[in-house]
């Protein structure tokens, strides 16, 4: 019985670790930034808004469309060179975020 109580406490009361997207140790999840993105598929630049969520980013285009891309990880080293991949369309993107430096 004591074992089951300890197991219950361990499973339900230990906080889960949720990693957030970070730049310089600061959580940037859920903040919408202006950015320029480059599509390796079209070879064109787009002026967009971008919102980070852990190891993903949602890119909002000016025409109302959006895509969600995967980042290499949660920690962003250079806000002007964030490499991302769109698994649905098999396209690499380069994100250049304004206002993070």
């Amino acid at each position: 019985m004591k074992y089951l109580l300890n197991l219950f406490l361990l499973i339900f009361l230990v906080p889960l670790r949720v990693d957030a997207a970070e730049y310089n140790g600061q959580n940037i999840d859920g903040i919408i930034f202006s950015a320029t993105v480059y599509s390796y598929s079209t070879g064109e630049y787009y002026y967009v808004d971008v919102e980070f969520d852990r190891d993903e980013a949602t890119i909002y285009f000016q025409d109302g469309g959006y895509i969600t891309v995967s980042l290499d990880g949660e920690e962003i080293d250079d806000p002007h060179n964030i490499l991302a991949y769109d698994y649905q369309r098999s396209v690499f993107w380069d994100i250049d975020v304004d206002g993070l430096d």
Side-chain angles (χ1 to χ4, degrees):
M1 183 68 171
K2 193 179 210 182
Y3 172 76
L4 291 175
L5 178 62
N6 287 338
L7 183 61
F8 173 81
L9 291 174
L10 180 65
I11 291 173
F12 293 105
L13 298 180
V14 174
L16 298 175
R17 182 174 179 215
V18 178
D19 293 328
E22 291 184 355
Y23 175 66
N24 283 342
Q26 181 182 3
N27 178 344
I28 60 169
D29 273 3
I31 302 170
I32 297 177
F33 296 95
S34 293
T36 304
V37 294
Y38 176 77
S39 167
Y40 285 89
S41 172
T42 65
E44 293 187 33
Y45 289 91
Y46 302 90
Y47 296 102
V48 299
D49 290 326
V50 64
E51 181 179 16
F52 295 96
D53 181 21
R54 293 179 289 183
D55 64 347
E56 294 183 335
T58 302
I59 299 171
Y60 299 98
F61 294 94
Q62 292 179 348
D63 68 0
Y66 69 92
I67 60 170
T68 300
V69 294
S70 295
L71 310 175
D72 287 337
E74 292 90 5
E75 191 166 324
I76 295 170
D77 297 322
D78 182 359
H80 302 293
N81 187 28
I82 304 169
L83 297 177
Y85 189 70
D86 179 357
Y87 282 96
Q88 287 186 336
R89 296 165 188 84
S90 301
V91 175
F92 282 100
W93 292 84
D94 191 357
I95 306 170
D96 181 355
V97 178
D98 296 330
L100 268 182
D101 47 0

